[in-house]
Amino acid sequence: MSKGYWVARVDVTDPEKYKTYITANAAAFAKYGARFLVRSGAYEAVEGTARSRNVVIEFPSYQAALECWNSAEYQAARDCRVGAATADVIVIEGYDGGQPG
């Protein structure tokens, strides 16, 4: 079974309010087995546009990633982000096929 991922690009506009979102999303992430792979580290936009924060969150499965997004726990946390940040988020299935080489 392929893992699932959230890939998010975020511009925080209200850092204090955004802290509320970070606290609120912890319950949903714990419930659905989320693990941060990327969380606002150094980056270089080598092509295209970028936002100030980049996040990649891994889930045990694509289904778990979708369930987390749609959960009441996460939607309540997401409401805390409204007005604190602009975000682009995708939920995507991981790849388990062959690799180059």
Side-chain angles (χ1 to χ4, degrees):
M1 173 186 304
S2 297
K3 292 185 179 188
Y5 298 87
W6 289 13
V7 178
R9 300 175 332 124
V10 181
D11 284 329
V12 176
T13 55
D14 183 340
E16 288 305 311
K17 187 173 179 184
Y18 194 76
K19 288 178 187 176
T20 304
Y21 163 71
I22 291 171
T23 300
N25 68 31
F29 289 162
K31 180 177 179 179
Y32 291 94
R35 185 170 84 95
F36 284 90
L37 300 180
V38 174
R39 193 172 194 181
S40 192
Y43 71 93
E44 185 171 331
V46 295
E47 185 173 343
T49 60
R51 293 196 182 269
S52 59
R53 291 177 61 96
N54 300 285
V55 180
V56 178
I57 306 171
E58 180 182 73
F59 291 83
S61 67
Y62 176 64
Q63 188 61 38
L66 286 174
E67 288 174 2
C68 184
W69 177 267
N70 291 310
S71 71
E73 296 92 345
Y74 183 74
Q75 290 303 308
R78 184 176 172 270
D79 287 347
C80 295
R81 192 183 74 216
V82 173
T86 301
D88 301 313
V89 182
I90 63 168
V91 178
I92 189 166
E93 183 177 27
Y95 176 70
D96 287 333
Q99 297 294 328

Coordinates of all heavy atoms in Angstrom, one line a residue:
M1 N 0.8 -1.2 0.0 CA 0.0 0.0 0.0 C 0.9 1.2 0.0 O 1.8 1.4 0.8 CB -0.9 0.0 1.2 CG -1.7 1.3 1.4 SD -2.6 1.4 2.9 CE -3.6 -0.1 2.9
S2 N 0.6 2.2 -0.9 CA 1.4 3.4 -1.0 C 1.0 4.3 0.2 O -0.1 4.4 0.7 CB 1.0 4.1 -2.3 OG 1.4 3.4 -3.4
K3 N 2.1 5.0 0.7 CA 1.9 6.1 1.7 C 1.1 7.3 1.0 O 1.1 7.4 -0.2 CB 3.2 6.5 2.3 CG 3.8 5.4 3.1 CD 5.1 5.9 3.8 CE 5.6 4.7 4.6 NZ 6.7 5.1 5.4
G4 N 0.6 8.1 1.9 CA 0.0 9.3 1.4 C 0.7 10.5 2.0 O 1.4 10.4 3.0
Y5 N 0.6 11.6 1.3 CA 1.3 12.8 1.6 C 0.5 14.1 1.5 O -0.4 14.1 0.6 CB 2.6 13.0 0.7 CG 3.5 11.9 0.9 CD1 3.4 10.7 0.1 CD2 4.6 11.9 1.8 CE1 4.3 9.7 0.2 CE2 5.4 10.8 1.9 CZ 5.3 9.7 1.1 OH 6.1 8.6 1.3
W6 N 0.7 15.0 2.3 CA 0.2 16.4 2.1 C 1.5 17.2 1.7 O 2.5 17.1 2.3 CB -0.3 17.0 3.4 CG -1.6 16.5 3.9 CD1 -2.3 15.3 3.6 CD2 -2.4 17.1 5.0 NE1 -3.4 15.2 4.3 CE2 -3.5 16.3 5.2 CE3 -2.2 18.2 5.7 CZ2 -4.4 16.5 6.1 CZ3 -3.2 18.5 6.7 CH2 -4.3 17.7 6.9
V7 N 1.3 18.0 0.7 CA 2.3 18.9 0.2 C 1.7 20.3 0.3 O 0.7 20.5 -0.3 CB 2.8 18.6 -1.2 CG1 3.9 19.6 -1.6 CG2 3.4 17.2 -1.3
A8 N 2.3 21.1 1.1 CA 1.7 22.5 1.4 C 2.7 23.5 1.2 O 3.9 23.4 1.5 CB 1.1 22.6 2.8
R9 N 2.3 24.6 0.6 CA 3.1 25.9 0.5 C 2.3 26.9 1.1 O 1.1 27.1 0.8 CB 3.4 26.2 -1.0 CG 4.1 25.1 -1.7 CD 4.3 25.3 -3.2 NE 3.2 26.1 -3.8 CZ 3.4 27.2 -4.5 NH1 4.6 27.7 -4.7 NH2 2.4 27.9 -5.0
V10 N 2.9 27.7 2.1 CA 2.2 28.6 2.9 C 2.9 29.9 3.1 O 4.1 30.0 3.2 CB 2.0 27.9 4.4 CG1 1.2 28.8 5.3 CG2 1.4 26.5 4.3
D11 N 2.1 31.0 3.0 CA 2.5 32.3 3.4 C 1.8 32.7 4.7 O 0.5 32.8 4.7 CB 2.2 33.4 2.3 CG 3.2 33.3 1.2 OD1 4.4 32.8 1.4 OD2 2.8 33.6 0.0
V12 N 2.5 32.8 5.8 CA 1.8 33.2 7.1 C 1.7 34.7 7.1 O 2.7 35.5 6.9 CB 2.7 32.7 8.2 CG1 2.1 33.2 9.6 CG2 2.8 31.2 8.2
T13 N 0.5 35.2 7.3 CA 0.2 36.6 7.4 C 0.0 37.1 8.8 O 0.1 38.3 9.0 CB -1.0 37.0 6.5 OG1 -2.1 36.2 6.9 CG2 -0.8 36.7 5.0
D14 N -0.4 36.2 9.7 CA -0.6 36.6 11.1 C 0.1 35.5 12.0 O -0.5 34.5 12.3 CB -2.1 36.7 11.4 CG -2.4 37.1 12.8 OD1 -1.5 37.0 13.7 OD2 -3.5 37.6 13.0
P15 N 1.4 35.7 12.3 CA 2.1 34.6 13.1 C 1.5 34.2 14.4 O 1.5 33.1 14.7 CB 3.5 35.3 13.3 CG 3.6 36.3 12.2 CD 2.2 36.8 12.0
E16 N 0.9 35.2 15.1 CA 0.3 34.8 16.4 C -0.9 33.9 16.2 O -1.1 32.9 16.9 CB 0.0 36.1 17.2 CG 1.2 36.8 17.8 CD 2.0 35.9 18.6 OE1 1.5 35.2 19.5 OE2 3.3 35.9 18.4
K17 N -1.8 34.3 15.3 CA -2.9 33.4 15.0 C -2.5 32.1 14.4 O -3.1 31.1 14.7 CB -3.9 34.2 14.0 CG -5.2 33.4 13.8 CD -6.2 34.3 13.0 CE -7.5 33.5 12.9 NZ -8.4 34.2 12.0
Y18 N -1.5 32.1 13.6 CA -1.0 30.8 13.0 C -0.5 29.8 14.1 O -0.7 28.6 13.9 CB 0.1 31.1 12.0 CG 0.5 30.0 11.1 CD1 -0.4 29.6 10.1 CD2 1.6 29.2 11.3 CE1 -0.1 28.6 9.2 CE2 1.9 28.1 10.5 CZ 1.0 27.8 9.4 OH 1.3 26.7 8.6
K19 N 0.0 30.3 15.2 CA 0.4 29.5 16.3 C -0.8 28.7 16.8 O -0.7 27.5 17.3 CB 1.0 30.3 17.4 CG 2.4 30.8 17.1 CD 2.9 31.7 18.3 CE 4.2 32.3 17.9 NZ 4.7 33.2 18.9
T20 N -2.0 29.3 16.8 CA -3.2 28.6 17.2 C -3.5 27.4 16.3 O -3.9 26.3 16.8 CB -4.4 29.6 17.2 OG1 -4.1 30.7 18.1 CG2 -5.7 28.9 17.7
Y21 N -3.3 27.6 15.0 CA -3.5 26.5 14.0 C -2.5 25.4 14.3 O -2.9 24.2 14.3 CB -3.3 27.1 12.6 CG -3.1 26.0 11.6 CD1 -4.1 25.2 11.2 CD2 -1.8 25.8 11.0 CE1 -3.9 24.2 10.3 CE2 -1.6 24.9 10.1 CZ -2.7 24.0 9.7 OH -2.5 23.0 8.8
I22 N -1.3 25.7 14.6 CA -0.3 24.7 14.8 C -0.6 23.8 16.0 O -0.5 22.6 16.0 CB 1.1 25.3 15.0 CG1 1.6 25.9 13.6 CG2 2.1 24.3 15.5 CD1 2.9 26.7 13.7
T23 N -1.1 24.5 17.1 CA -1.5 23.8 18.3 C -2.7 22.9 18.0 O -2.8 21.8 18.4 CB -1.8 24.8 19.4 OG1 -0.6 25.5 19.7 CG2 -2.3 24.1 20.7
A24 N -3.7 23.5 17.2 CA -4.9 22.8 17.0 C -4.8 21.6 16.0 O -5.5 20.6 16.2 CB -6.0 23.8 16.4
N25 N -3.8 21.6 15.1 CA -3.7 20.5 14.2 C -3.1 19.3 14.7 O -3.1 18.2 14.2 CB -3.1 20.9 12.9 CG -1.6 21.3 13.0 OD1 -0.9 20.8 13.8 ND2 -1.2 22.2 12.1
A26 N -2.4 19.4 15.9 CA -1.7 18.2 16.5 C -2.6 17.0 16.8 O -2.1 15.9 16.5 CB -1.0 18.7 17.8
A27 N -3.8 17.2 17.2 CA -4.7 16.1 17.5 C -5.0 15.3 16.3 O -5.0 14.1 16.3 CB -6.0 16.6 18.2
A28 N -5.3 16.0 15.2 CA -5.6 15.3 13.9 C -4.4 14.5 13.4 O -4.5 13.4 13.0 CB -6.2 16.2 12.9
F29 N -3.3 15.2 13.4 CA -2.1 14.6 12.9 C -1.7 13.3 13.7 O -1.3 12.3 13.2 CB -0.9 15.6 12.9 CG -1.1 16.6 11.8 CD1 -0.3 17.8 11.9 CD2 -1.9 16.5 10.7 CE1 -0.5 18.8 10.9 CE2 -2.1 17.5 9.8 CZ -1.3 18.6 9.9
A30 N -1.8 13.4 15.0 CA -1.5 12.2 15.9 C -2.5 11.1 15.6 O -2.1 9.9 15.4 CB -1.6 12.6 17.3
K31 N -3.8 11.4 15.4 CA -4.8 10.4 15.2 C -4.6 9.7 13.9 O -4.8 8.4 13.8 CB -6.2 11.1 15.2 CG -7.3 10.1 15.0 CD -8.7 10.8 15.0 CE -9.8 9.9 14.8 NZ -11.1 10.6 14.9
Y32 N -4.1 10.3 12.9 CA -4.0 9.7 11.5 C -2.5 9.3 11.2 O -2.2 9.0 10.1 CB -4.6 10.6 10.5 CG -6.1 10.7 10.6 CD1 -6.7 11.7 11.3 CD2 -6.9 9.7 10.1 CE1 -8.0 11.7 11.5 CE2 -8.2 9.7 10.2 CZ -8.8 10.7 10.9 OH -10.2 10.8 11.1
G33 N -1.6 9.3 12.2 CA -0.3 8.9 12.0 C 0.6 9.7 11.1 O 1.5 9.3 10.4
A34 N 0.4 11.0 11.2 CA 1.2 12.0 10.4 C 2.6 12.1 10.9 O 2.9 12.0 12.1 CB 0.5 13.4 10.4
R35 N 3.5 12.3 10.0 CA 4.9 12.5 10.3 C 5.5 13.6 9.4 O 5.4 13.5 8.2 CB 5.7 11.2 10.1 CG 7.1 11.2 10.5 CD 7.7 9.8 10.5 NE 8.2 9.5 9.2 CZ 9.4 9.6 8.7 NH1 10.3 10.1 9.5 NH2 9.7 9.2 7.5
F36 N 6.0 14.7 10.0 CA 6.6 15.7 9.2 C 7.9 15.3 8.5 O 8.8 14.8 9.2 CB 6.8 17.0 10.0 CG 5.6 17.7 10.3 CD1 4.8 17.4 11.5 CD2 5.1 18.7 9.5 CE1 3.7 18.1 11.8 CE2 3.9 19.4 9.8 CZ 3.2 19.1 10.9
L37 N 8.0 15.4 7.2 CA 9.2 15.2 6.5 C 10.0 16.5 6.2 O 11.2 16.6 6.2 CB 9.0 14.4 5.2 CG 8.3 13.1 5.3 CD1 8.1 12.4 4.0 CD2 9.1 12.2 6.3
V38 N 9.2 17.5 5.9 CA 9.7 18.9 5.7 C 8.8 19.8 6.5 O 7.5 19.7 6.4 CB 9.6 19.2 4.2 CG1 10.0 20.7 3.9 CG2 10.4 18.3 3.3
R39 N 9.4 20.8 7.2 CA 8.6 21.7 8.0 C 9.3 23.0 8.0 O 10.0 23.3 9.0 CB 8.3 21.2 9.4 CG 7.3 21.9 10.1 CD 6.9 21.3 11.4 NE 5.7 21.8 12.0 CZ 5.2 21.4 13.1 NH1 5.7 20.5 13.8 NH2 4.0 22.0 13.5
S40 N 9.2 23.8 6.9 CA 9.7 25.2 6.9 C 11.2 25.3 7.0 O 11.7 26.2 7.6 CB 9.0 26.0 7.9 OG 9.3 27.4 7.7
G41 N 11.9 24.4 6.4 CA 13.4 24.5 6.4 C 13.9 25.4 5.3 O 13.1 26.0 4.6
A42 N 15.2 25.5 5.2 CA 15.8 26.3 4.2 C 15.4 25.8 2.8 O 15.3 24.6 2.6 CB 17.3 26.3 4.3
Y43 N 15.2 26.7 1.8 CA 14.9 26.2 0.5 C 15.4 27.2 -0.5 O 15.7 28.4 -0.2 CB 13.4 26.0 0.3 CG 12.6 27.3 0.3 CD1 12.3 27.9 -0.9 CD2 12.2 27.9 1.4 CE1 11.6 29.1 -1.0 CE2 11.5 29.1 1.4 CZ 11.2 29.7 0.2 OH 10.5 30.9 0.2
E44 N 15.5 26.8 -1.8 CA 15.8 27.7 -2.9 C 14.8 27.4 -4.0 O 14.7 26.2 -4.4 CB 17.2 27.4 -3.4 CG 17.6 28.4 -4.4 CD 19.1 28.3 -4.8 OE1 19.9 27.9 -3.9 OE2 19.5 28.6 -5.9
A45 N 14.0 28.4 -4.4 CA 13.1 28.2 -5.5 C 13.9 28.2 -6.8 O 14.3 29.3 -7.3 CB 12.0 29.3 -5.5
V46 N 14.1 27.0 -7.4 CA 15.0 26.9 -8.6 C 14.1 27.1 -9.8 O 14.7 27.3 -10.9 CB 15.8 25.6 -8.6 CG1 16.8 25.6 -7.4 CG2 14.9 24.4 -8.5
E47 N 12.8 27.0 -9.7 CA 12.0 27.2 -10.9 C 10.5 27.5 -10.4 O 10.1 26.8 -9.4 CB 11.9 25.9 -11.8 CG 11.2 26.1 -13.1 CD 11.3 24.9 -14.0 OE1 12.2 24.1 -13.8 OE2 10.4 24.8 -14.9
G48 N 9.9 28.4 -11.0 CA 8.5 28.7 -10.6 C 8.4 29.6 -9.4 O 9.4 30.2 -9.0
T49 N 7.2 29.7 -8.9 CA 7.0 30.6 -7.7 C 7.1 29.8 -6.4 O 7.0 28.6 -6.4 CB 5.6 31.2 -7.8 OG1 4.6 30.2 -7.8 CG2 5.5 32.1 -9.0
A50 N 7.2 30.5 -5.3 CA 7.3 29.8 -4.0 C 6.6 30.6 -3.0 O 6.2 31.8 -3.2 CB 8.8 29.7 -3.6
R51 N 6.3 30.0 -1.9 CA 5.7 30.6 -0.7 C 6.8 30.6 0.4 O 7.8 29.9 0.2 CB 4.4 30.0 -0.3 CG 3.3 30.2 -1.3 CD 2.0 29.8 -0.7 NE 0.9 30.0 -1.6 CZ 0.2 31.1 -1.8 NH1 0.5 32.2 -1.1 NH2 -0.8 31.1 -2.6
S52 N 6.6 31.3 1.5 CA 7.6 31.4 2.5 C 7.8 30.1 3.3 O 8.9 29.9 3.9 CB 7.3 32.6 3.4 OG 6.1 32.4 4.0
R53 N 6.8 29.3 3.4 CA 6.9 28.0 4.2 C 6.5 26.8 3.2 O 5.6 26.9 2.5 CB 5.9 28.0 5.4 CG 6.3 28.9 6.5 CD 5.2 28.9 7.6 NE 5.1 27.6 8.2 CZ 5.7 27.2 9.3 NH1 6.5 28.1 9.9 NH2 5.5 26.0 9.8
N54 N 7.3 25.7 3.4 CA 7.0 24.5 2.6 C 6.9 23.4 3.6 O 7.7 23.3 4.5 CB 8.1 24.3 1.6 CG 8.2 25.4 0.6 OD1 7.4 25.6 -0.3 ND2 9.2 26.3 0.8
V55 N 5.9 22.5 3.4 CA 5.6 21.4 4.4 C 5.3 20.2 3.6 O 4.5 20.2 2.6 CB 4.5 21.8 5.3 CG1 4.2 20.7 6.3 CG2 4.7 23.1 6.0
V56 N 5.9 19.1 4.0 CA 5.5 17.7 3.5 C 5.3 16.9 4.7 O 6.1 16.7 5.6 CB 6.7 17.1 2.6 CG1 6.2 15.7 2.1 CG2 7.0 18.0 1.4
I57 N 4.1 16.3 4.7 CA 3.6 15.4 5.8 C 3.3 14.1 5.3 O 2.6 13.9 4.3 CB 2.4 16.0 6.5 CG1 2.6 17.5 7.0 CG2 2.0 15.1 7.7 CD1 1.4 18.2 7.5
E58 N 3.9 13.0 5.9 CA 3.7 11.7 5.4 C 2.7 11.0 6.3 O 2.6 11.2 7.5 CB 5.0 10.9 5.6 CG 5.0 9.4 5.1 CD 6.3 8.8 5.3 OE1 6.6 8.5 6.5 OE2 7.0 8.5 4.3
F59 N 1.8 10.2 5.7 CA 0.8 9.4 6.4 C 1.0 7.9 6.0 O 1.6 7.6 5.0 CB -0.6 9.8 5.9 CG -1.0 11.2 6.4 CD1 -0.6 12.3 5.7 CD2 -1.7 11.4 7.6 CE1 -0.9 13.6 6.2 CE2 -2.0 12.6 8.1 CZ -1.6 13.8 7.4
P60 N 0.5 7.0 6.8 CA 0.7 5.6 6.6 C 0.1 5.1 5.2 O 0.5 4.2 4.6 CB 0.0 4.9 7.7 CG -0.2 5.9 8.8 CD -0.2 7.2 8.1
S61 N -0.9 5.9 4.7 CA -1.6 5.5 3.5 C -2.2 6.8 2.9 O -2.4 7.8 3.6 CB -2.7 4.5 3.7 OG -3.7 5.0 4.4
Y62 N -2.5 6.7 1.6 CA -3.2 7.8 0.9 C -4.6 8.0 1.6 O -5.0 9.1 1.8 CB -3.4 7.4 -0.6 CG -4.2 8.4 -1.4 CD1 -3.7 9.7 -1.5 CD2 -5.3 8.0 -2.0 CE1 -4.4 10.7 -2.3 CE2 -6.1 9.0 -2.8 CZ -5.6 10.2 -2.9 OH -6.3 11.1 -3.7
Q63 N -5.3 6.9 1.9 CA -6.6 6.9 2.5 C -6.5 7.7 3.9 O -7.3 8.5 4.2 CB -7.2 5.5 2.7 CG -8.6 5.5 3.2 CD -9.5 6.2 2.2 OE1 -9.4 6.1 1.0 NE2 -10.5 7.0 2.7
A64 N -5.5 7.4 4.7 CA -5.3 8.1 6.0 C -5.1 9.6 5.8 O -5.6 10.4 6.5 CB -4.1 7.5 6.7
A65 N -4.3 9.9 4.7 CA -4.1 11.3 4.4 C -5.4 12.0 4.1 O -5.6 13.2 4.6 CB -3.1 11.5 3.3
L66 N -6.2 11.4 3.3 CA -7.5 12.0 2.9 C -8.4 12.1 4.1 O -9.1 13.1 4.4 CB -8.2 11.2 1.8 CG -7.6 11.4 0.4 CD1 -8.3 10.4 -0.5 CD2 -7.8 12.8 -0.1
E67 N -8.4 11.0 4.9 CA -9.3 11.0 6.1 C -8.9 12.1 7.1 O -9.8 12.7 7.7 CB -9.3 9.6 6.8 CG -10.0 8.5 6.0 CD -9.9 7.1 6.5 OE1 -9.2 6.9 7.6 OE2 -10.4 6.2 5.9
C68 N -7.6 12.3 7.3 CA -7.1 13.3 8.1 C -7.7 14.7 7.6 O -8.2 15.5 8.4 CB -5.6 13.3 8.2 SG -5.0 14.6 9.4
W69 N -7.5 15.0 6.4 CA -7.9 16.2 5.8 C -9.4 16.5 6.0 O -9.8 17.5 6.4 CB -7.6 16.3 4.3 CG -8.2 17.6 3.7 CD1 -9.4 17.8 3.2 CD2 -7.5 18.9 3.8 NE1 -9.5 19.1 2.8 CE2 -8.4 19.8 3.2 CE3 -6.3 19.3 4.2 CZ2 -8.1 21.2 3.0 CZ3 -6.0 20.7 4.1 CH2 -6.9 21.6 3.5
N70 N -10.2 15.4 5.8 CA -11.7 15.5 5.9 C -12.2 15.4 7.4 O -13.4 15.5 7.6 CB -12.3 14.5 5.0 CG -12.1 14.8 3.6 OD1 -12.3 15.9 3.1 ND2 -11.6 13.9 2.8
S71 N -11.3 15.1 8.3 CA -11.8 14.8 9.7 C -12.3 16.1 10.4 O -11.8 17.2 10.0 CB -10.6 14.3 10.5 OG -9.6 15.2 10.8
A72 N -13.2 15.9 11.3 CA -13.7 17.1 12.1 C -12.5 17.7 12.8 O -12.5 19.0 12.9 CB -14.7 16.6 13.0
E73 N -11.6 16.9 13.3 CA -10.4 17.5 14.1 C -9.6 18.4 13.2 O -9.3 19.5 13.6 CB -9.5 16.4 14.6 CG -10.2 15.4 15.6 CD -10.8 14.2 14.9 OE1 -11.0 14.2 13.7 OE2 -11.1 13.3 15.7
Y74 N -9.3 18.0 12.0 CA -8.5 18.8 11.1 C -9.3 20.0 10.6 O -8.7 21.1 10.5 CB -7.8 18.1 10.0 CG -6.9 19.1 9.2 CD1 -5.7 19.5 9.8 CD2 -7.4 19.7 8.1 CE1 -5.0 20.5 9.2 CE2 -6.6 20.7 7.5 CZ -5.4 21.1 8.0 OH -4.6 22.1 7.5
Q75 N -10.5 19.9 10.3 CA -11.3 21.0 9.7 C -11.4 22.1 10.8 O -11.4 23.3 10.5 CB -12.6 20.5 9.2 CG -12.5 19.7 7.9 CD -11.8 20.5 6.8 OE1 -12.1 21.6 6.5 NE2 -10.8 19.9 6.2
A76 N -11.5 21.7 12.1 CA -11.6 22.7 13.2 C -10.2 23.4 13.3 O -10.2 24.6 13.4 CB -11.9 22.0 14.5
A77 N -9.1 22.7 13.1 CA -7.8 23.3 13.1 C -7.7 24.2 11.9 O -7.2 25.3 12.0 CB -6.7 22.2 13.1
R78 N -8.1 23.8 10.7 CA -8.0 24.6 9.5 C -8.8 25.9 9.7 O -8.3 26.9 9.2 CB -8.6 23.8 8.3 CG -8.5 24.5 7.0 CD -9.0 23.6 5.9 NE -9.0 24.4 4.7 CZ -10.0 25.1 4.2 NH1 -11.2 25.2 4.9 NH2 -10.0 25.8 3.1
D79 N -9.9 25.9 10.4 CA -10.6 27.1 10.6 C -9.7 28.1 11.4 O -9.9 29.3 11.2 CB -11.9 26.9 11.4 CG -13.0 26.2 10.6 OD1 -12.9 26.1 9.4 OD2 -13.9 25.7 11.2
C80 N -8.8 27.6 12.2 CA -7.9 28.5 12.9 C -6.9 29.2 12.0 O -6.3 30.2 12.3 CB -7.1 27.7 14.0 SG -8.2 27.1 15.3
R81 N -6.6 28.5 10.8 CA -5.7 29.1 9.9 C -6.2 30.2 9.0 O -5.5 31.0 8.5 CB -5.1 27.9 9.0 CG -3.9 28.3 8.2 CD -3.5 27.2 7.3 NE -4.4 27.1 6.1 CZ -4.7 26.0 5.6 NH1 -4.3 24.8 6.0 NH2 -5.6 26.0 4.6
V82 N -7.6 30.2 8.9 CA -8.2 31.2 8.0 C -7.9 32.6 8.6 O -8.1 32.8 9.8 CB -9.8 30.9 7.9 CG1 -10.5 32.1 7.2 CG2 -10.0 29.6 7.3
G83 N -7.4 33.4 7.8 CA -7.1 34.8 8.2 C -5.7 34.9 8.7 O -5.2 36.0 9.0
A84 N -5.0 33.7 8.9 CA -3.6 33.7 9.5 C -2.6 33.4 8.4 O -1.4 33.6 8.6 CB -3.5 32.8 10.6
A85 N -3.1 32.8 7.3 CA -2.2 32.3 6.3 C -2.9 32.0 5.0 O -4.1 31.8 4.9 CB -1.4 31.0 6.7
T86 N -2.1 32.1 3.9 CA -2.6 31.7 2.6 C -1.9 30.4 2.2 O -0.6 30.4 2.4 CB -2.3 32.8 1.5 OG1 -3.0 34.0 1.9 CG2 -2.8 32.3 0.1
A87 N -2.6 29.4 1.8 CA -1.9 28.1 1.6 C -2.4 27.4 0.3 O -3.6 27.6 -0.1 CB -2.2 27.2 2.8
D88 N -1.5 26.7 -0.3 CA -1.8 25.7 -1.4 C -1.5 24.4 -0.8 O -0.4 24.1 -0.3 CB -1.0 26.0 -2.6 CG -1.1 27.4 -3.2 OD1 -2.2 27.8 -3.3 OD2 -0.1 28.0 -3.4
V89 N -2.5 23.4 -0.8 CA -2.3 22.1 -0.2 C -2.8 21.1 -1.2 O -3.9 21.2 -1.7 CB -3.0 22.0 1.2 CG1 -2.8 20.6 1.8 CG2 -2.7 23.1 2.1
I90 N -2.0 20.0 -1.4 CA -2.5 18.9 -2.1 C -2.3 17.6 -1.3 O -1.4 17.6 -0.4 CB -1.8 18.7 -3.5 CG1 -0.3 18.4 -3.3 CG2 -2.0 19.9 -4.4 CD1 0.4 17.9 -4.6
V91 N -3.2 16.7 -1.4 CA -3.1 15.4 -0.8 C -2.8 14.4 -2.0 O -3.5 14.4 -3.0 CB -4.4 14.9 -0.1 CG1 -4.2 13.5 0.5 CG2 -4.8 15.9 1.0
I92 N -1.7 13.7 -1.9 CA -1.2 12.9 -3.0 C -0.7 11.5 -2.6 O -0.2 11.3 -1.4 CB 0.0 13.7 -3.7 CG1 0.4 13.0 -5.0 CG2 1.2 13.8 -2.8 CD1 1.3 13.9 -5.9
E93 N -1.0 10.6 -3.4 CA -0.5 9.2 -3.2 C 0.9 9.0 -3.5 O 1.4 9.5 -4.5 CB -1.4 8.3 -4.0 CG -1.1 6.8 -3.8 CD -2.0 5.9 -4.7 OE1 -2.5 6.3 -5.7 OE2 -2.3 4.8 -4.2
G94 N 1.6 8.3 -2.6 CA 3.0 8.0 -2.8 C 3.2 7.0 -4.0 O 2.3 6.4 -4.5
Y95 N 4.5 6.9 -4.4 CA 4.8 6.0 -5.5 C 5.7 4.9 -5.1 O 6.7 5.0 -4.3 CB 5.6 6.9 -6.5 CG 6.2 6.1 -7.7 CD1 5.3 5.6 -8.7 CD2 7.5 5.9 -7.9 CE1 5.8 4.9 -9.8 CE2 8.0 5.2 -9.0 CZ 7.1 4.7 -9.9 OH 7.6 4.0 -11.0
D96 N 5.3 3.7 -5.4 CA 6.0 2.4 -5.0 C 6.6 1.7 -6.2 O 7.0 0.6 -6.0 CB 5.0 1.5 -4.3 CG 4.7 2.0 -2.9 OD1 5.5 2.7 -2.3 OD2 3.6 1.6 -2.4
G97 N 6.7 2.3 -7.3 CA 7.2 1.6 -8.5 C 8.7 1.7 -8.6 O 9.4 2.0 -7.7
G98 N 9.2 1.3 -9.8 CA 10.6 1.3 -10.1 C 11.2 2.6 -10.1 O 10.6 3.7 -10.2
Q99 N 12.5 2.6 -9.9 CA 13.3 3.8 -9.8 C 14.4 3.9 -10.9 O 14.8 2.8 -11.4 CB 14.0 3.9 -8.4 CG 13.0 4.0 -7.3 CD 12.2 5.3 -7.3 OE1 12.7 6.3 -7.7 NE2 11.0 5.2 -6.8
P100 N 14.9 5.0 -11.2 CA 15.9 5.2 -12.3 C 17.1 4.4 -11.9 O 17.5 4.3 -10.7 CB 16.2 6.7 -12.4 CG 15.0 7.3 -11.7 CD 14.5 6.4 -10.7
G101 N 17.8 3.9 -12.9 CA 19.1 3.3 -12.7 C 19.0 1.8 -12.7 O 19.7 1.0 -12.5

